[in-house]
Amino acid sequence: TSTGGTYRLCTNTGKLTNTGSGHVGGFVGADNNSTFLGCYNIGDMTADGCVGGIVAQSWSQATITACWTGGTMTGSQVGGLYGESGHMNLTASYWYSKYIVGNGGYNSQNIGVYYGKKPELAQILIMNEHLISWGWMYKNDATLAPIEGNNIPSNPIKPW
């Protein structure tokens, strides 16, 4: 569970499974007003409850910018970014799934589905517009890399 958390430059490649009645999210199972920037999840996820590429279930407004998800997702409500959401603000984020969110509302700008193993180059370039000021970028294979000369760590001790 996350309340008001900030997640920057996070990666998940592991398989996530919940055989009980719980939810599974690529980074957070249950969320309340958190922010995600430059995160991607390519792990397969399975649950009897909600499944979301970034968050399984959100109770209030969340912000997702320059994130993408892949992998196979199976659950009662499945969403490429969120399984179930109160409300989201989405910018420059992409997913490999039928639906962006299993159930819920959202505001969006420059979002969309992709059909290969990773976002298309045009989608990567749009996400990079939001990451470059942080000193990071997605490479052509959609993995994160620091920009040459970057002195901003991926996991700082203090907020930037």
Side-chain angles (χ1 to χ4, degrees), residues 8 14 18 26 33 40 49 52 72 77 105 111-112 121 134 137 142 145 147:
R8 292 185 188 107
N18 186 333
N33 202 33
Y40 72 92
T72 302
Q77 289 187 16
I111 62 168
L121 183 57
W134 296 97
M137 63 180 279
I147 295 173

Side-chain angles (χ1 to χ4, degrees), residues 90-107:
L90 305 172
T91 303
S93 295
Y94 303 94
W95 65 95
Y96 178 72
S97 179
K98 186 173 182 179
Y99 303 107
I100 185 172
V101 61
N103 182 29
Y106 56 91
N107 296 324

Side-chain angles (χ1 to χ4, degrees), residues 6-11 37-38 134-136 144-146 150-157 160:
T6 300
Y7 301 83
R8 292 185 188 107
L9 309 169
C10 301
T11 303
L37 171 68
W134 296 97
W136 287 76
L144 286 166
N150 169 23
N151 60 2
I152 302 171
S154 63
N155 188 15
I157 295 172
W160 299 338

Side-chain angles (χ1 to χ4, degrees), residues 37-81:
L37 171 68
C39 298
Y40 72 92
N41 169 32
I42 57 174
D44 293 340
M45 296 180 288
T46 303
D48 292 336
C50 298
V51 175
I54 303 292
V55 174
Q57 187 176 42
S58 178
W59 300 304
S60 66
Q61 192 156 317
T63 301
I64 297 177
T65 304
C67 296
W68 68 275
T69 64
T72 302
M73 296 181 235
T74 306
S76 63
Q77 289 187 16
V78 175
L81 298 174

